[in-house]
Amino acid sequence: MTTIEIVEVSPRDGLQNEKTLLSTGDKLALIGKAIDAGVRRMEVASFVNPKKVPQMADAEAVMAGLPARDDVTYVGLALNERGFERAVAAHVDEVNFAVMASDTFNRRNQGADAFETARQLTTIADNAQGKIPIGVTIGTAFGCPFEGEVSLDRVLSLVEAIAATLPREIALADTIGVATPRDVAERVGAVRDRYPDVPIRCHFHNTRNTGIANAWAAIEAGATTLDSSLGGVGGCPFAPAATGNIATEDLVYMLDRAGIATGLDLGACIDTAQWLEGKLGHAVPGQVMKAGAFPAPA
């Protein structure tokens, strides 16, 4: 049976654009529920400027409150050297370092051009070698809200610079939800062809309702890991009209029905998405949490 790893991002990407600031206790409860649902790799915090992203201001407190689990990988997001140092000091199991494919978005997000950030990553990776795994996400890999289309050549040149740092994986992220399955097949396929030994993760936002179709295209093109967010919550504070990630329960439903193993329990994912909706105080985008599983559980 084919197996796809799902990385849960609701505690990080899922909450960073929310007007409702969840307490540290609620974040820890969300993480605990996700673990109970079968999640074994999860982005739990973002080590960014708390003045710019106040939803993530308690990153260290979240890390300090996490249950010690040898079978769960806690991932922290970093955008620069300072963020990386904070993440390591907080004892994350893995760092997800992000670089935007377009310079304009990278400047707004990280205060530097894309390749300048990639050069920072080279120094960080050299110092971290053998100490902590680093995965790298290329944001706006399918399009930028400020520059428009992002060429495949641009993405591949950034992949080349990142691959030289020997990351544990490279992720292609559709930060603003503009990709179609054709785009995904092309870009994931191109990276696979050039770097067949580097695992590929994909991160899709469902802004234009293509996220689940894109997830399927990514699997067919050779991606082994997909990000998702319970209830479909999420969005980038620096992306205009940003909307949520593909919903974990929607993704699990599709993969379960297709005979693809994820290790996640659909019923528990639905329950957790509904709990999160209550905590946020507004409807969230997930569909399966509303319609339920099929066939209905006995």
Side-chain angles (χ1 to χ4, degrees):
M1 176 183 284
T2 301
T3 300
I4 290 295
E5 180 186 37
I6 293 179
V7 176
E8 179 58 41
V9 300
S10 58
R12 196 277 301 173
D13 195 343
L15 301 179
Q16 69 180 8
N17 209 37
E18 282 286 335
K19 294 180 180 178
T20 300
L21 271 64
L22 290 194
S23 68
T24 301
D26 282 341
K27 290 178 182 178
L28 291 171
L30 171 61
I31 292 165
K33 289 175 181 294
I35 292 172
D36 290 344
V39 172
R40 291 298 176 263
R41 190 171 168 215
M42 183 169 9
E43 275 199 10
V44 295
S46 179
F47 295 88
V48 295
N49 188 332
K51 293 181 180 179
K52 293 184 177 181
V53 190
Q55 296 89 339
M56 296 290 110
D58 60 347
E60 281 82 1
V62 169
M63 284 302 306
L66 291 173
R69 296 279 301 241
D70 292 337
D71 61 339
V72 177
T73 298
Y74 298 123
V75 183
L77 178 75
L79 303 181
N80 50 37
E81 190 167 2
R82 171 61 180 150
F84 176 80
E85 291 171 351
R86 285 179 59 200
V88 172
H91 303 295
V92 301
D93 298 316
E94 176 188 329
V95 173
N96 177 26
F97 192 89
V99 183
M100 302 298 120
S102 62
D103 284 330
T104 304
F105 200 105
N106 205 77
R107 288 189 207 104
R108 294 189 181 215
N109 199 50
Q110 286 150 268
D113 290 349
F115 282 92
E116 183 179 342
T117 297
R119 287 191 290 274
Q120 292 177 27
L121 172 63
T122 300
T123 301
I124 290 168
D126 286 345
N127 294 333
Q129 201 65 244
K131 299 176 184 176
I132 187 168
I134 302 176
V136 183
T137 296
I138 301 177
T140 62
F142 298 90
C144 171
F146 310 111
E147 297 182 14
E149 300 288 353
V150 174
S151 72
L152 176 59
D153 287 344
R154 170 76 176 186
V155 172
L156 289 175
S157 64
L158 201 51
V159 169
E160 181 179 7
I162 289 166
T165 70
L166 304 178
R168 82 175 301 284
E169 69 186 359
I170 291 177
L172 301 181
D174 186 16
T175 309
I176 58 171
V178 294
T180 67
R182 182 191 66 178
D183 304 323
V184 174
E186 175 193 56
R187 297 189 180 213
V188 172
V191 176
R192 285 269 297 163
D193 288 345
R194 291 199 183 193
Y195 302 97
D197 296 328
V198 178
I200 298 176
R201 174 168 55 87
C202 286
H203 179 104
F204 297 117
H205 285 254
N206 202 35
T207 314
R208 291 165 178 82
N209 207 33
T210 57
I212 289 290
N214 289 339
W216 187 261
I219 293 170
E220 290 192 320
T224 55
T225 303
L226 295 170
D227 290 354
S228 62
S229 178
L230 288 156
V233 297
C236 176
F238 305 103
T243 58
N245 301 270
I246 55 174
T248 301
E249 63 278 7
D250 294 5
L251 180 60
V252 171
Y253 174 80
M254 178 181 73
L255 298 181
D256 279 357
R257 294 281 289 176
I260 297 174
T262 64
L264 273 63
D265 179 85
L266 177 58
C269 289
I270 290 172
D271 290 345
T272 304
Q274 292 171 341
W275 174 89
L276 180 58
E277 182 176 68
K279 286 294 180 180
L280 293 175
H282 64 79
V284 298
Q287 295 296 301
V288 172
M289 63 178 284
K290 302 176 181 70
F294 177 84

